Amino acid sequence: MADRVVAETPQPAKPPPGSLLAAWDRVAPATVPFFAVFTALLIGAGIIRFAGASPLVAYRALWEGSFGTPAALANTLVKSTPYIIAGLAVALGFKAGLFNIGAEGQLYAGGVLAVLVGFHPAFAGLPPLLHVPLAVLAGALGGMIWGAIPGILKARTGAHEVINTIMMNFIAIRLTDWLIKSKDPLILLDPSASTPRTPYIAPSAALPRLLDTPLHAGLVLALVLVLGVRWLLYRTTVGFELRTVGANPNAARYAGMNVSRTIVLAMALSGALAGMAGAGEVLGGQGYLSPDFFAGIGFDSIAVALLARSSPVGMIPAGILWGALLNGAGLMQIRADLSIDLIKIVQALIIMFVAADQIVRWLYRIRVAPPTEEAVFSRGWGR
Amino acid sequence: MWPTVRLQRLHVYALLFLVAGMWLTVGVSARFPAEETTTLTFGIGRTAPKVALPVGRTLLAVGVYYVVSGLLGLAGRRFVRPATWAMIFGGLLIFPTVLVAAAAGKQTNVLTMLNESLRLGTPIALGAIAGIWCERSGVINIAIEGMMLAGACFGFTTFFFLGERLPANQALFISVLVAVITGGLMALLHGVLSITFRTDQIVSGTVINILAIGVTSFVRREYLLSTRAGRVTLPSIEIPLLSDLPVVGPVLFNNKPIFYSMFLLVIVTHVVLFYTRWGLRTRAVGEHPRAADTVGIDVIRVRYINVFISGLIAGLGGAWFSLETVGGFDDLMTNGKGFIALAAMIFGKWTPLGGLGGAMLFGFSEALGTRFQILGIPLPSQFLQIVPYVVTMVVLAGLVGRAIPPAAIGQPYEKQS
């Protein structure tokens, strides 16, 4: 396992230092995501043509629908918020060498606890200054529990977190479904609603709106969490241990770090972040939870984390791109008469090109970045 | 250190069995009136054999069995082996016991139940076999779900356009073929990304899953929304002679083609994997690619072909959804079965027969869910749906034996010059 072969591509002769070419070489690796997005949009244009619509009309509508007006921009930012936070969750896992596919389940676990604190009579009458943080923390707790279980299983028995987080996703989705739909006993269902959903949260638990727009405090939470995760990863001992375990668990063990504890901690923190993303959506958006509330946000956050190359600050543009594509898709559907699912294809292509960056490098002749600490995910299934 | 851990684990299980057994004998069995019975029928029609089991006494017997096997587990080192087997059998006993208790006072058809389990287990078994082909050669395949979904979609799309031009059976045959090939093409993409470009195999699988969701829902929204005609599915085929067998014949040998081909594929995979040169090469590449390369095996080629075959089988699994069962295509219609298949594969420790067993276990828990609803048992269906996932986690955690994957899994291979 330790002798994992690092990809070596033949390199042309190095340009002299100080020249413009050398400067380009230093910047070039960072441009890979841009080229990946560009290539994906190009192939998307081909598919639009094939479906009998005009790529120009479609992409213009996509732009106007996402950034064209202040209202569109605000909606894009609202849509992006959960992706930024959940993307951070996945990235934190990546940094510790863990592939947390379980963001979806952790969102549900967080959403359930947040909505419970939001509407339960026991918390009624609290001032917003107390009620909102309490509900957000409840969400973090839900996600933390849901993330810690696969973490403990990995640390204790070596069971691979990918399978376990996938299973935890399904368990969370089914459990939420039951909690919301169950009539006897009545748990989270609002019996007066026409479709199965929970009761509305109390106004005191709702995230405050910003400047009379659809924007809510979830965006602020996302920005704070971005800075918080960056600080945690690069300025604290815990973060250093996390990254060391991710880069080389054997070295970490030799250095005296507690690898098992770090794995559990990373999964718990990752889950807590995803849980907060869920709480933010429930408390800042509709104000209730329904069985398919998060449909796919957790899965897409893997893509966002890959797109940002696990950089906490990079999560902001990556999340906004994701939100923009989703938000603009509506107008594109109307103007170009195209199914909004086209956007999903473009998104999948984007991650494909980001993940398989050798394709993009080969297409655009970009040099390989100097080797850095990089977590390896695929260590096989078992132990 | 390992043997002591194992012994302790056995003790924990033995205690669990003891408690469950006592609970059954003392607590539960007395709750059923002595004369209440569950009638188990085998087959359809009046002539079908019937067995009437007194519910209370059945539960009592199972409870006593549990107590005995629990005591056996605590008896000491000499009884480790018989105790283990007794507990494995006891674990399997849970299913009929639950059925008998659930259907108290009514009658339930055992063979239909068995058939349903096998039928619902079919796509899971196909997915598990697909996974085995891929993973035995050292390539993780979490994209079975996406390959199935793509197969289901494009298979049905083909039928959608051919259905009116060709006789139904011909059109269906071509559609299944297209589904199979679609799965194969998706797998080739997985191969290109993970073998040639050495992308992380789990990332590559995730990409394919997301791509499959996007492409299939796009195709459905763009082309398949106008539903024409009734829903046509693959015809049932009676196997001559076997279907004339009393009792089992009409139930098990009057099924649809993909159902049969699943059993065929299990056997073929078992034989190829363990008794042919190709199988040996595949396993060698999955365990130690460098050594395989040294003796002249083309690692890259072996991996590509295995990944491709894996996709073909997953595509067939996809056809089960759209062409054999539903006769249409819905968004996300594979509904996580590809992931359960992965679980079945791990449950079966990367062997075809074990994978089939795992698939049947999950098929049974699904069949039990529908049966519970028919019988009007107030257990939420979501709880039964959760069972396979929990079982998977328990298995993976090594609570029921160890699951050891191929050694070189997840590692891209690069030839050294």
Side-chain angles (χ1 to χ4, degrees), chain B residues 388-400:
Chain B
Y389 309 124
V390 176
V391 168
T392 305
M393 291 179 68
V394 169
V395 171
L396 198 66
L399 293 179
V400 187

Side-chain angles (χ1 to χ4, degrees), chain A residues 3 30 68 71 73 83 85 91 122 163 167 212 215 224 237 254 277 288 326-327 334 357 361 380:
Chain A
D3 60 348
L73 179 67
Y83 293 104
I85 307 179
I163 287 280
M167 297 300 136
D212 225 14
L215 285 174
V224 169
T237 319
Y254 278 120
Y288 63 79
L326 289 175
N327 194 32
I334 298 166
D357 53 355
R361 289 219 178 92

Side-chain angles (χ1 to χ4, degrees), chain A residues 85-380:
Chain A
I85 307 179
L88 277 177
V90 179
L92 191 85
F94 279 159
K95 286 287 179 196
L98 298 163
F99 204 142
N100 179 11
I101 301 197
E104 186 88 2
Q106 291 145 17
L107 277 157
Y108 276 102
V112 164
L113 285 197
V115 86
L116 189 67
V117 171
F119 81 78
H120 201 275
F123 299 96
L126 284 177
L129 214 57
L130 217 66
H131 204 172
V132 171
L134 203 63
V136 172
L137 284 180
L141 180 73
M144 186 183 253
I145 294 169
W146 225 247
I149 294 173
I152 293 168
L153 285 172
K154 166 126 187 169
R156 271 289 172 95
T157 71
H160 201 285
E161 77 279 3
V162 165
I163 287 280
N164 276 335
T165 49
I166 290 174
M167 297 300 136
M168 293 293 283
N169 278 343
F170 286 116
I171 295 173
I173 290 167
R174 299 280 191 273
L175 266 185
T176 312
D177 193 63
W178 174 69
L179 285 171
I180 293 176
K181 282 185 183 162
S182 167
K183 291 195 174 109
D184 181 33
L186 192 69
I187 305 169
L188 289 181
L189 183 74
D190 180 356
S192 62
S194 54
T195 52
R197 62 163 176 79
T198 65
Y200 283 102
I201 53 166
S204 58
L207 288 171
R209 306 253 151 196
L210 305 176
L211 312 166
D212 225 14
T213 54
L215 285 174
H216 56 77
L219 189 65
V220 180
L221 178 70
L223 297 180
V224 169
L225 287 175
V226 164
L227 295 178
V229 170
R230 191 169 82 135
W231 173 79
L232 178 84
L233 280 175
Y234 298 103
R235 294 280 178 277
T236 65
T237 319
V238 173
F240 178 70
E241 288 188 355
L242 231 123
R243 286 183 294 127
T244 313
V245 167
N248 190 339
N250 291 329
R253 195 170 290 119
Y254 278 120
M257 295 173 188
N258 188 338
V259 175
S260 299
R261 208 197 61 195
T262 311
I263 286 174
V264 176
L265 184 73
M267 282 304 289
L269 284 177
S270 176
L273 283 167
M276 274 194 263
E281 276 305 275
V282 169
L283 305 172
Q286 258 88 351
Y288 63 79
L289 187 68
S290 54
D292 50 359
F293 193 77
F294 296 115
I297 291 181
F299 292 111
D300 279 3
S301 62
I302 302 166
V304 174
L306 288 172
L307 188 60
R309 325 201 108 201
S310 304
S311 138
V313 178
M315 219 57 69
I316 297 172
I320 290 176
L321 174 71
W322 222 252
L325 285 171
L326 289 175
N327 194 32
L331 193 64
M332 186 194 75
Q333 183 179 27
I334 298 166
R335 292 253 188 96
D337 193 23
L338 269 170
S339 153
I340 48 169
D341 297 299
L342 178 85
I343 289 307
K344 285 192 198 148
I345 302 181
V346 172
Q347 288 177 332
L349 291 171
I350 291 176
I351 337 161
M352 188 176 96
F353 288 124
V354 170
D357 53 355
Q358 291 201 22
I359 301 178
V360 175
R361 289 219 178 92
W362 174 73
L363 275 175
Y364 299 98
R365 308 284 183 275
I366 301 171
R367 279 159 184 281
V368 181
T372 48
E373 48 149 314
E374 196 184 353
V376 186
F377 315 121
S378 302
R379 292 209 180 87

Side-chain angles (χ1 to χ4, degrees), chain B residues 193-368:
Chain B
L193 289 176
S194 63
I195 303 172
T196 303
F197 286 105
R198 291 183 220 112
T199 309
D200 184 278
Q201 292 168 2
I202 293 176
V203 172
S204 164
T206 311
V207 166
I208 287 174
N209 283 334
I210 296 179
L211 187 67
I213 293 173
V215 170
T216 56
S217 37
F218 180 72
V219 166
R220 190 180 84 90
R221 225 57 40 90
E222 288 286 311
Y223 302 106
L224 303 178
L225 275 192
S226 57
T227 27
R228 280 179 275 181
R231 302 199 140 184
V232 185
T233 57
L234 290 169
S236 292
I237 299 170
E238 274 192 42
I239 295 192
L241 294 177
L242 286 176
S243 62
D244 296 333
L245 283 175
V247 188
V248 271
V251 182
L252 295 183
F253 296 102
N254 185 10
N255 270 299
K256 298 192 168 189
I258 297 178
F259 176 85
Y260 295 128
S261 56
M262 179 268 289
F263 287 101
L264 203 66
L265 279 168
V266 168
I267 297 165
V268 168
T269 306
H270 182 77
V271 171
V272 169
L273 205 54
F274 298 112
Y275 298 101
T276 65
R277 182 182 297 194
W278 181 262
L280 184 62
R281 288 185 175 179
T282 300
R283 286 182 290 139
V285 165
E287 296 292 338
H288 202 315
R290 183 81 64 219
D293 196 359
T294 317
V295 295
I297 299 171
D298 187 341
V299 175
I300 304 294
R301 184 168 156 266
V302 169
R303 284 194 170 172
Y304 256 108
I305 291 174
N306 274 296
V307 170
F308 183 62
I309 293 174
S310 162
L312 295 178
I313 298 171
L316 185 67
W320 182 88
F321 291 93
S322 61
L323 296 169
E324 179 159 300
T325 307
V326 178
F329 179 78
D330 302 312
D331 281 352
L332 304 176
M333 82 183 301
T334 45
N335 198 15
K337 288 287 189 316
F339 292 118
I340 299 188
L342 213 58
M345 176 193 73
I346 295 172
F347 182 85
K349 302 179 182 176
W350 286 266
T351 62
L353 296 176
L356 178 67
M360 290 312 127
L361 186 68
F362 296 152
F364 183 83
S365 77
E366 206 180 329
L368 202 61

